[in-house]
Amino acid sequence: MHTIDQLNASFAIPGILAFDEHGELIRGRITTPACSGELYLQGAHVTAWQPANEEPVLFLSEKSAFTVCKAIRGGIPIIFPWFGARTATPDSPRTDCPSHGFARIQPWQLDFGAYAAEELHLSLSLEPTELSRSLGFDNFLLAYQITFGRELRLRLSIANDGTEPMRVEEALHTYLHVGDIEQARVHGLYEAEYLDKTNKFARKTQTEPILTFNGVTDRPYVNTTSPVVVDDPGLRRRITVKKANSNTTVVWNPWTDSGLADMSGNGWRRMLCIESGNAAENAITLRPKEAHVLETSISLEALA
Ligand code: TA6
């Protein structure tokens, strides 16, 4: 793994990209005419993206930890190779595994950084680690491309580097910053089926054309490829989340008493997770040497 000095020597771009330490973690700070942003090498975790003259688009809990092997609360955690709690299978009976997999708590390698046309392009990768091997994963390769600009574009590539099929779940677990969750309105999931995690994953269909929030909402929507649009009267803006090669969209707000120690007091009111991925019945199985590329982009416009 690169040290901060090596990262600055190899990848820093004057006035655009520089690396420092925050808590126990290495952080990259981005400032371009188009946007500002932040990324941690642990988990290749984007924690901030803010187009010029706009409010922050990603929510980051003031109480988040920035410690080794602990997930950051907010931003865009990368969920791999399982979503939520690991389900025991004959080949892997273990259930004492990190929630949402290991990718978000492992140090990624920065491989590429370039600035062009007011966009900063970064590529990072993750290969098997001691932790992933101890959890039975030693034949994968992950690559992650991030483009910071007027919009944020993300590409997560997963490759099966082994000789056996590999079944995995994945998600870009985006925490959007909203003015007030009680005013937020979500378009794009009408008549889509979801598993209601607040009710034993009961299978339901969204009957209301527009999703609004008045309590805990925790729904992996399955077999949906449509973009999701979040209208946020609180910040007078519309956030559009587009995606490719993703059949699952997870919508989450923990509401008042989440019991999450790293969630700030009224954080629940200012966050909404819209996650692009492939989970549950949409999990993907990669044949040996096969790869899969999940893409998502986030863009902003003023709310009319
Ligand atoms: O994506 C929604 C969800 O699966 C919720 O059920 C909740 O657990 C959330 O993720 C956060 O999970 P974490 O492991 O980061 O506390």
Side-chain angles (χ1 to χ4, degrees):
M1 264 331 114
H2 292 121
T3 64
I4 291 173
D5 292 347
Q6 288 167 331
L7 286 162
N8 282 320
S10 310
F11 297 104
I13 304 173
I16 304 282
L17 174 64
F19 297 88
D20 62 5
E21 189 167 49
H22 182 219
E24 298 174 3
L25 305 179
I26 296 179
R27 169 178 62 180
R29 311 187 87 173
I30 291 113
T31 323
T32 78
C35 73
S36 63
E38 208 174 69
L39 161 89
Y40 285 81
L41 277 276
Q42 176 170 283
H45 200 133
V46 175
T47 50
W49 171 61
Q50 184 172 0
N53 312 315
E54 298 283 353
E55 291 287 320
V57 181
L58 303 178
F59 167 84
L60 181 63
S61 168
E62 293 92 353
K63 290 176 72 177
S64 177
F66 294 94
T67 52
V68 170
C69 233
K70 175 115 180 49
I72 294 170
R73 178 65 64 197
I76 309 179
I78 297 175
I79 309 305
F80 174 88
W82 55 83
F83 187 89
R86 188 178 192 180
T87 35
T89 58
D91 334 339
S92 65
R94 291 184 58 175
T95 55
D96 63 331
C97 306
S99 166
H100 285 323
F102 52 75
R104 64 176 177 167
I105 56 175
Q106 294 291 270
W108 289 55
Q109 168 100 3
L110 181 61
D111 302 312
F112 175 85
Y115 180 64
E118 292 206 348
E119 292 192 322
L120 178 69
H121 303 271
L122 299 174
S123 287
L124 301 99
S125 59
L126 182 70
E127 297 185 2
T129 61
E130 197 184 323
L131 174 65
S132 78
R133 289 195 180 91
S134 75
L135 296 166
F137 281 82
D138 61 359
N139 285 319
F140 66 88
L141 293 173
L142 299 183
Y144 192 45
Q145 287 147 307
I146 310 167
T147 302
F148 288 94
R150 279 302 310 167
E151 66 173 31
L152 183 66
R153 296 195 298 279
L154 308 166
R155 273 170 64 93
L156 177 66
S157 306
I158 302 172
N160 176 358
D161 196 31
T163 55
E164 298 297 320
M166 183 173 76
R167 179 183 179 281
V168 294
E169 297 175 297
E170 59 175 352
L172 297 172
H173 191 301
T174 306
Y175 287 74
L176 296 174
H177 168 216
V178 294
D180 181 353
I181 188 67
E182 294 195 83
Q183 297 179 45
R185 301 159 58 79
V186 172
H187 308 258
L189 297 166
Y190 179 40
E191 292 180 336
E193 287 193 302
Y194 64 93
L195 310 173
D196 187 350
K197 194 169 173 183
T198 69
N199 179 7
K200 301 192 186 73
F201 292 97
R203 195 178 189 92
K204 302 178 180 175
T205 300
Q206 183 181 307
T207 51
E208 64 274 30
I210 298 173
L211 177 62
T212 54
F213 303 87
N214 55 19
V216 181
T217 304
D218 196 347
R219 304 177 174 186
Y221 285 81
V222 291
N223 309 318
T224 174
T225 58
S226 70
V228 167
V229 172
V230 177
D231 283 348
D232 176 11
L235 293 175
R236 293 183 299 287
R237 66 186 185 182
R238 162 171 286 185
I239 304 175
T240 299
V241 181
K242 291 183 186 151
K243 61 179 192 162
N245 307 324
S246 160
N247 293 308
T248 308
T249 293
V250 181
V251 177
W252 178 55
N253 182 282
W255 220 245
T256 44
D257 46 10
S258 67
L260 297 169
D262 57 358
M263 178 62 86
S264 39
N266 70 350
W268 64 274
R269 186 177 284 289
R270 295 179 286 109
M271 62 147 279
L272 172 60
C273 284
I274 301 288
E275 311 164 29
S276 309
N278 291 292
E281 64 204 67
N282 299 143
I284 51 179
T285 298
L286 298 176
R287 290 186 300 273
K289 305 302 173 199
E290 193 182 7
H292 179 274
V293 181
L294 166 68
E295 297 183 59
T296 195
S297 67
I298 307 172
S299 56
L300 275 188
E301 62 193 287
L303 197 56

